[in-house]
Amino acid sequence: MTRNGLLRGGAFVAAGIAFPLLFNAAWLVNIGILTLMYAALAVSWNLFSGFTGYITLGQVAFFGLGAYSLGITFEHFGIGSGYNPFYVLPIVGACVAFASLPVAWIALRTRAMTFAIVTLTLLFIVQQLAFNLHSLTHGSSGLMLPTPTTFGVDNYDRPFYYAMLGLVLLALLICWGILRSKLGLMLLSIREDEEKARGLGIRVTGTKLVAWWLHVFVTAMVGGVWAYYLTFIYPESSVDPLVMIGAVLMTFLGGRGTLWGPVVGALVLVPAQQYMLIHLGGSQLYLVGYAAVFMVVLLVLPRGIIPSIRDGVVRTRERQRTRGGAAKAAV
Amino acid sequence: MTALLEIDGLTKRFGGVTAVDACSFTVPAGSVTALVGPNGSGKTTAFNLITGYARADAGAVRFDGAAVRRPDPIRLARSGLTRTFQQARIFPDLTLVENMVAALQQPWTSVFTRAVRRPERERALELLDEFGIARLADERAGNLSYGQKKLLEFAAVLMGDPRLVLLDEPTAGVNPVLVDQIEERIRELNARGLTFLVVEHNMNLVMRLCDPVVVLAQGTKLAEGRPDEVRNDPRVLDAYLGG
């Protein structure tokens, strides 16, 4: 890990841990949880779509599956209260991820726009299932999860906040690991030229499925934490196309295929969205404002925040170097 | 000489056009075989059929004595049959070394290991040096000139230790110095036992380098033999000069 990377990661972790301790107003911690939730979703979306170039619009289906899986596990197995349900999350994530592989294998036979549409239908299929599998999900009347009573009233939000923070860090660690591993090399070569990658003997489908598994694994756990936090889930909210669009927009905003881009995107967009919701929420104007934030960034930094800044830094350095060189030559 | 690659009755139709028409030829092991013919004679299509990038309507391919029933680029590359493309195809956002290492066929167990391990880097640098582009090793491949990209693509397919390399117009659009370099590379690799099948329009190069030469016209084989035989074959002259 480079020194800068270590610093950046350390600063993020420190700020993440400190935030609810410094600002313990419930509504602020609530915004923090939402921001981290979107950050985790955006980072794991980027983990698959950013690295392979396959745009999936079905990620939220697995968020919903994670939420319902945890809810149903609660109902049928009584996984206790307090911190215990958090320990079940990795199992939920892994199960949802394995269950998604056959569907992914079929979807991955298509490419580009077709893949985006095929995965988008997944989202609606899962939502329909949530509506109609009454015996499991209670349909549109929703599913209740027990409220954790051991967390206390004052800092009730904190455990959920730290759970989300942990998932963001997990997703970032996976991305970081991928970027420096053979898997990353294989994924990037698929993104650049899949046909050529096949010609070199890279097992493209299996490679994409590994990335797919990892992105669903994180996504489903995020869904689980979200369900436990709200203690009440229903089909429209747990499989919400707007959440999907949010995660994708944040990734584009911050910079697709970069490590920190999706986090930066979430840090900008979620607080902006919440601010507008509070101040303009009475009218539909808040969606207009939300869109405006995005348009301004697209106009100023079209390739996303991180790549644009990186280019700017490189350009400035080049300019300084040539200027320095010219000055020396003049002497 | 035993045949490393045998093509028998290969046929491909695109709608009403028969691009490759009952084409049969063999690539002897240890040879540099040329596949020549006028534009549109089906050379690249034949390449695509052999390497599994397109599905043949009829015909059989045998590689190293075993029938290839459903040619698949991944499996073929892993069994030692690889190719380059007419328009050099490399991964522009990766560095040269990364391009080289990506071309190593990895077992599943090494998927989570370091992207470029030291011995892999050394092997890549060695090959890049043979191709005269080692000084650009950590440059983005997208920054290379067209000719350098062709060199990189050629060097990269060698990383997987192939037994047969199909080169699609290796010298097209490349400056004369690089043409000499590519010729020298092919000769040296061939001397070390690597077999080549080359599509090429530069006839002087073909006559110097290749034996046997297979001539295609309108998807069928017109002639096959030693370069001097083929050169003096009146049917070949007709096809090229439009008799």
Side-chain angles (χ1 to χ4, degrees):
Chain A
M1 203 184 291
T2 62
R3 200 167 51 95
N4 273 342
L6 214 61
L7 277 176
R8 229 170 282 154
F12 177 74
V13 173
I17 291 173
F19 177 78
L21 306 176
L22 296 174
F23 307 94
N24 59 1
W27 68 276
L28 269 176
V29 180
N30 180 37
I31 291 180
I33 292 176
L34 262 183
T35 309
L36 291 175
M37 180 188 103
Y38 272 103
L41 288 177
V43 175
S44 50
W45 186 82
N46 186 45
L47 194 164
F48 178 76
S49 291
F51 292 163
T52 63
Y54 278 74
I55 304 291
T56 165
L57 297 176
Q59 186 197 13
V60 161
F62 306 106
F63 174 86
L65 280 177
Y68 271 102
S69 300
L70 193 78
I72 293 163
T73 320
F74 257 123
E75 203 169 67
H76 292 275
F77 299 101
I79 45 178
S81 184
Y83 291 99
N84 286 343
F86 290 134
Y87 306 137
V88 182
L89 282 175
I91 303 169
V92 167
C95 289
V96 173
F98 278 119
S100 75
L101 284 184
V103 181
W105 180 70
I106 294 168
L108 280 169
R109 298 179 71 85
T110 65
R111 288 191 190 173
M113 294 306 274
T114 324
F115 181 77
I117 301 299
V118 167
T119 48
L120 183 62
T121 58
L122 280 182
L123 190 157
F124 292 107
I125 289 170
V126 170
Q127 197 183 51
Q128 283 306 310
L129 286 175
F131 269 121
N132 293 312
L133 290 176
H134 259 276
S135 56
L136 276 174
T137 65
H138 305 294
S140 52
S141 47
L143 187 65
M144 283 289 256
L145 286 76
T147 311
T149 48
T150 50
F151 289 167
V153 182
D154 287 341
N155 295 311
Y156 175 80
D157 292 333
R158 270 194 204 166
F160 301 102
Y161 176 92
Y162 287 118
M164 286 294 189
L165 181 64
L167 289 176
V168 176
L169 292 178
L170 174 69
L172 280 171
L173 268 178
I174 293 174
C175 282
W176 175 77
I178 286 178
L179 277 173
R180 35 182 285 134
S181 72
K182 288 255 181 303
L183 180 63
L185 202 55
M186 288 150 83
L187 290 171
L188 293 185
S189 59
I190 290 169
R191 185 178 74 187
E192 303 250 290
D193 186 342
E194 183 165 352
E195 285 309 312
K196 173 68 188 173
R198 273 153 49 85
L200 292 175
I202 296 173
R203 295 184 179 112
V204 293
T205 306
T207 309
K208 285 180 279 182
L209 284 177
V210 173
W212 175 275
W213 190 95
L214 289 168
H215 110 284
V216 173
F217 176 63
V218 177
T219 302
M221 288 200 281
V222 176
V225 173
W226 173 84
Y228 190 33
Y229 179 50
L230 291 192
T231 69
F232 178 66
I233 55 175
Y234 53 98
E236 291 98 323
S237 70
S238 41
V239 190
D240 185 351
L242 280 179
V243 174
M244 185 69 256
I245 292 167
V248 176
L249 286 188
M250 283 160 209
T251 312
F252 277 107
L253 185 66
R256 189 152 60 104
T258 63
L259 183 59
W260 289 99
V263 179
V264 173
L267 283 176
V268 172
L269 223 48
V270 180
Q273 181 195 21
Q274 292 299 311
Y275 176 84
M276 305 224 205
L277 190 60
I278 292 165
H279 289 273
L280 305 164
S283 60
Q284 288 300 317
L285 267 181
Y286 104 88
L287 280 177
V288 178
Y290 185 44
V293 173
F294 194 69
M295 276 179 40
V296 167
V297 179
L298 272 190
L299 278 173
V300 183
L301 309 166
R303 293 176 48 217
I305 295 170
I306 297 248
S308 299
I309 291 177
R310 195 183 285 156
D311 285 357
V313 170
V314 169
R315 252 201 314 269
T316 317
R317 273 198 204 134
E318 286 290 320
R319 212 176 301 145
Q320 277 166 353
R321 208 166 56 192
T322 44
R323 201 177 296 155
K328 250 177 237 162
V331 170
Chain B
M1 256 198 278
T2 54
L4 185 59
L5 183 73
E6 293 162 84
I7 309 299
D8 186 19
L10 207 59
T11 302
K12 178 72 181 177
R13 280 180 284 271
F14 293 112
V17 183
T18 306
V20 176
D21 193 358
C23 183
S24 305
F25 62 91
T26 59
V27 178
S31 71
V32 180
T33 303
L35 189 60
V36 299
N39 286 322
S41 58
K43 304 180 299 288
T44 295
T45 306
F47 260 33
N48 287 341
L49 297 178
I50 295 167
T51 51
Y53 277 94
R55 187 77 70 79
D57 295 318
V61 176
R62 290 171 73 81
F63 176 55
D64 200 18
V68 183
R69 285 194 208 294
R70 286 183 55 178
D72 168 62
I74 301 172
R75 241 179 297 144
L76 284 170
R78 285 177 170 264
S79 63
L81 189 162
T82 184
R83 73 173 290 184
T84 65
F85 290 86
Q86 201 171 334
Q87 299 291 324
R89 283 169 88 164
I90 43 122
F91 306 121
D93 258 347
L94 305 183
T95 66
L96 270 66
V97 167
E98 286 169 339
N99 264 276
M100 300 290 283
V101 175
L104 273 172
Q105 284 122 27
Q106 304 288 347
W108 281 119
T109 45
S110 65
V111 162
F112 293 106
T113 60
R114 214 182 158 77
V116 180
R117 281 176 283 189
R118 189 177 295 266
E120 292 168 342
R121 184 180 167 83
E122 273 159 20
R123 170 144 169 63
L125 286 175
E126 217 172 279
L127 264 172
L128 286 173
D129 190 41
E130 283 179 27
F131 280 79
I133 44 176
R135 73 204 143 79
L136 301 166
D138 295 307
E139 195 71 38
R140 252 182 96 248
N143 295 342
L144 295 181
S145 74
Y146 182 71
Q148 288 169 331
K149 282 180 187 160
K150 290 216 121 171
L151 289 178
L152 173 62
E153 188 186 28
F154 189 177
V157 298
L158 300 174
M159 286 294 278
D161 284 321
R163 282 177 295 160
L164 172 61
V165 177
L166 278 62
L167 298 173
D168 199 348
E169 301 198 17
T171 70
V174 171
N175 74 51
V177 180
L178 287 188
V179 171
D180 289 346
Q181 200 177 350
I182 290 171
E183 183 183 348
E184 192 190 322
R185 287 291 96 225
I186 296 176
R187 276 186 200 287
E188 197 173 309
L189 290 160
N190 182 240
R192 283 189 235 157
L194 187 57
T195 308
F196 286 94
L197 175 61
V198 186
V199 164
E200 184 54 63
H201 279 299
N202 180 342
M203 278 306 142
N204 291 327
L205 177 66
V206 168
M207 292 302 158
R208 280 201 305 272
L209 184 66
C210 304
D211 184 15
V213 174
V214 179
V215 185
L216 289 187
Q218 288 165 353
T220 41
K221 184 175 74 183
L222 204 60
E224 181 177 12
R226 292 201 317 274
D228 50 328
E229 285 170 9
V230 167
R231 182 165 31 193
N232 298 322
D233 191 317
R235 289 170 305 171
V236 174
L237 293 174
D238 276 354
Y240 264 97
L241 302 175

